[in-house]
Amino acid sequence: MGRTSLVTGFVLVLTVALGGSAAAATGEAGPRLTNPHPCPGKPGFTCSTLTVPLDHTGRVPGTLDLQVAAADNVTAPKGVLLYLVGGPGQGGVVWLDRLANRRLPEVAKDYRFVTLDQRGTGEFGALRCPGLQTQMGSSNIATPTREAVAECANLLGDRAPLYSTDQTVADLDLLRQALGVPKMVVDGVSYGAFTAARYSIAHPRHVRKLILDSVLPHHATSADSLYLAGLRANARVLRDACAAPPACGYDPAEDLAQVVRQRSVADGVRIFDAMVTYEFVDPTYRNPSPGDVVPPGGGDIIGAVHAARGGDPARLNALLAAMARANEVDPIYYSSGLQAGTLCADLRFPWGSASTPVAVRQARLDHTEARLPERATWPYTSQVAVTQGFIQLCLPWPTERATSNPAGHLPDVPTLLLNGDRDLSPPLEWAEREAGVAPRGELVAVKGESHSIQNRERGHAGRDAVIKFLDG
């Protein structure tokens, strides 16, 4: 099937499956924003409520109230920029003024910044699963217990399938209608980039431009849920960081491979999780005192792994504990329950999709693990790949209807893709893959930076690319 057929077919599916109950939830006059009031602590922004169907397919009755924040420059000359945050699990409203006022004030002069707390997130709507929140926090990689997964599935019950990206995409178009705009710039970071891409495929006529920052490919594969690209990217990223002057003088990827194999599988997962978390603290991976999260002198994760390989694991063990604490977060800011509901619906796994019966999943996972070559996961192991959070969160998750998983190209709209070349989650390789299916895409790989270029880049090269892209 050609590109045009794929995109058109997906739009028709969403229109039929997700559009039918919008009028019932929002009234004959269409969706609207209600209860406008100044956003607390965010001068220049108005907060309001968007009421959406609980289930856009119409199978489950009810509505949800989503918090929306919009800049007060309603007549901005270049229209609306819809900003979508990551996770899945982050609320958006808390971050909007930082991006608009402190990180991209040049863009905020011409565009009206808008965001929302996507369903299941934020101050008023965060899903709460206490066990998962304790064990995973803001991590995608930490391995939860089956008891915590079962607790969360029971708490969500029949609502669990209602937190997929398909449902969120339908919410976003109701927001567009409530804003009264025919087209928007859609700008997403991390999982927000995934959502932005899915929105653009479902509603290409309503997207003026597309920004994908720290890119998750819009078409999910079983290799993605196994995190294979991220596991392998550790070798490239650590070697690049080690080569920066003054060079380390040893191979950090070999060090990592040896340490992972010297320790338990659970420790292998903890090390991978710590590496991904550490990039938020220190994109150099070598700063001995990178910030408040790590005690002075306790950083330099490359050096810590090297010391552990040499028989001194103390600093690495301390970093593993510090990075685990860094992932502890209130569900208002990052909901593990929402993460579970979304990932287990959206991803594709070695056993198939969410519709695969739970009873056959482990056998299919074992079959895949046995056939993974070492090069697929090195410097980690196949055991780490199948034990990390994407897999163990969704392996026992109850069977539900599979969500859409559109393949093919992004729509033919100007698309800017941004990724730090030291980002491990998601790695640059995922951005390169998505750039290959963006007909009008430009990929900017920002040297020496990690996750979330627009929000966290230390320099200005990535943000300059955004400003130039949006200036036209």
Side-chain angles (χ1 to χ4, degrees), residues 382-471:
S382 60
Q383 292 95 335
V384 171
V386 301
T387 306
Q388 49 80 22
F390 277 176
I391 296 296
Q392 294 301 318
L393 177 65
C394 298
L395 181 63
W397 194 256
T399 303
E400 59 189 49
R401 183 184 299 269
T403 59
S404 66
N405 188 30
H409 288 67
L410 293 171
D412 190 13
V413 300
T415 303
L416 177 66
L417 302 97
L418 301 167
N419 229 90
D421 70 344
R422 292 186 181 172
D423 197 350
L424 293 172
S425 174
L428 178 60
E429 287 81 355
W430 277 356
E432 292 170 339
R433 179 173 129 202
E434 192 75 345
V437 295
R440 297 172 66 184
E442 174 192 1
L443 173 60
V444 176
V446 185
K447 181 67 178 173
E449 295 297 336
S450 58
H451 196 72
S452 187
I453 297 301
Q454 293 172 95
N455 276 300
R456 301 186 61 256
E457 177 191 20
R458 296 165 297 171
H460 219 283
R463 284 177 287 163
D464 284 345
V466 172
I467 293 165
K468 179 180 177 181
F469 177 73
L470 292 177
D471 193 42

Side-chain angles (χ1 to χ4, degrees), residues 16-63:
V16 172
L18 298 183
S21 62
T26 59
E28 293 302 322
R32 58 188 181 274
L33 299 173
T34 60
N35 188 32
H37 58 278
C39 293
K42 295 175 174 56
F45 291 89
T46 294
C47 284
S48 56
T49 300
L50 176 71
T51 300
V52 300
L54 177 61
D55 180 6
H56 287 273
T57 69
R59 296 186 184 93
V60 181
T63 61

